[in-house]
Amino acid sequence: MLRFNGAIYRQNWKDFQFSFLGENSFTIIQNGPDARIYGAEMDANLLLGGLSLTVAGSYTDAKTREDLCETQICVGDGSDVLAPEGTRLPITPRFKISGNARYSVPIGSGRAYVQGLVAHQSSASSDIRVAKAAALGRIESYTTGNLAVGFELSRVNFELFAQNIWDERGQISRFQQCGACDQRPYIVPITPRTIGIRAGTRF
């Protein structure tokens, strides 16, 4: 059995809000320019007896439609432009893709399984303001993988798992602690390699 789902979409944002640290390190919330987002996402699942294969991916093209200036009203000579029209929105990567394989087999009154997942996402800007994004550095692309072996009964399940098996230091975001601390960006990473045992029950 093969199942496929997909969607193509467009979003229009009007004067979206964003926050940043000002010169005195107080958080400033400001209305930004208009933006538009084109995107597509899909997933496909193939079931071959006890083997299940799944692949999913997305593409996001998110850009501003107007100049972003220091205040909500641009002076017009370009001296106060923080991000010109067409700047990509930060944080969101352009590409994401993942693949998952799971094989299960009945054993007695339960079912044993082994499962593996690999996921990748592309890099992204750390800030919508061009100069600040250059100072903070880009959020780098990364690839991570998970493995799991488990056993399921009617009401209980046990699993031995390993997440982020390559111990990849993927980045979720980058930020600074004060408005002028460009030389010391902080990075929020994904969970490092984690190996453990899970047990659960259904009531």
Side-chain angles (χ1 to χ4, degrees):
M1 178 184 296
L2 175 63
R3 183 181 64 189
F4 176 83
N5 294 304
I8 299 175
Y9 59 88
R10 169 175 171 159
Q11 296 180 358
N12 293 322
W13 288 5
K14 177 74 173 178
D15 298 334
F16 67 88
Q17 289 188 330
F18 71 103
S19 62
F20 59 94
L21 292 178
E23 293 182 359
N24 297 318
S25 299
F26 289 105
T27 299
I28 298 174
I29 300 175
Q30 179 177 315
N31 282 352
D34 294 347
R36 67 105 184 102
I37 302 172
Y38 292 118
E41 55 187 17
M42 58 77 66
D43 66 83
N45 177 261
L46 178 62
L47 185 61
L48 301 171
L51 178 63
S52 175
L53 302 174
T54 302
V55 61
S58 65
Y59 169 79
T60 304
D61 182 20
K63 296 180 180 179
T64 59
R65 301 182 66 182
E66 300 170 338
D67 291 343
L68 170 64
C69 299
E70 294 179 357
T71 60
Q72 294 179 236
I73 300 177
C74 299
V75 299
D77 61 3
S79 60
D80 61 339
V81 174
L82 301 178
E85 176 185 352
T87 299
R88 290 188 58 83
L89 299 186
I91 307 302
T92 302
R94 183 175 296 188
F95 296 102
K96 281 187 174 183
I97 189 169
S98 65
N100 183 78
R102 178 185 177 101
Y103 182 75
S104 60
V105 58
I107 298 178
S109 60
R111 180 173 291 271
Y113 65 88
V114 58
Q115 178 173 295
L117 179 143
V118 176
H120 173 82
Q121 72 175 44
S122 60
S123 65
S125 173
S126 57
D127 197 291
I128 190 172
R129 299 164 295 170
V130 174
K132 185 62 66 176
L136 291 176
R138 289 185 65 82
I139 299 173
E140 299 178 359
S141 62
Y142 67 88
T143 303
T144 186
N146 300 335
L147 287 175
V149 178
F151 187 75
E152 297 176 335
L153 292 169
S154 59
R155 295 181 55 185
V156 297
N157 61 81
F158 305 92
E159 183 179 79
L160 172 64
F161 68 89
Q163 295 180 335
N164 193 5
I165 56 177
W166 301 303
D167 202 22
E168 183 77 11
R169 292 297 191 265
Q171 301 179 16
I172 298 174
S173 64
R174 302 171 71 100
F175 68 97
Q176 58 189 22
Q177 285 195 323
C178 68
C181 298
D182 295 340
Q183 74 277 10
R184 293 190 62 185
Y186 286 75
I187 299 172
V188 179
I190 63 174
T191 303
R193 182 191 295 124
T194 303
I195 300 173
I197 298 175
R198 293 191 185 100
T201 184
R202 290 186 290 273
F203 298 96

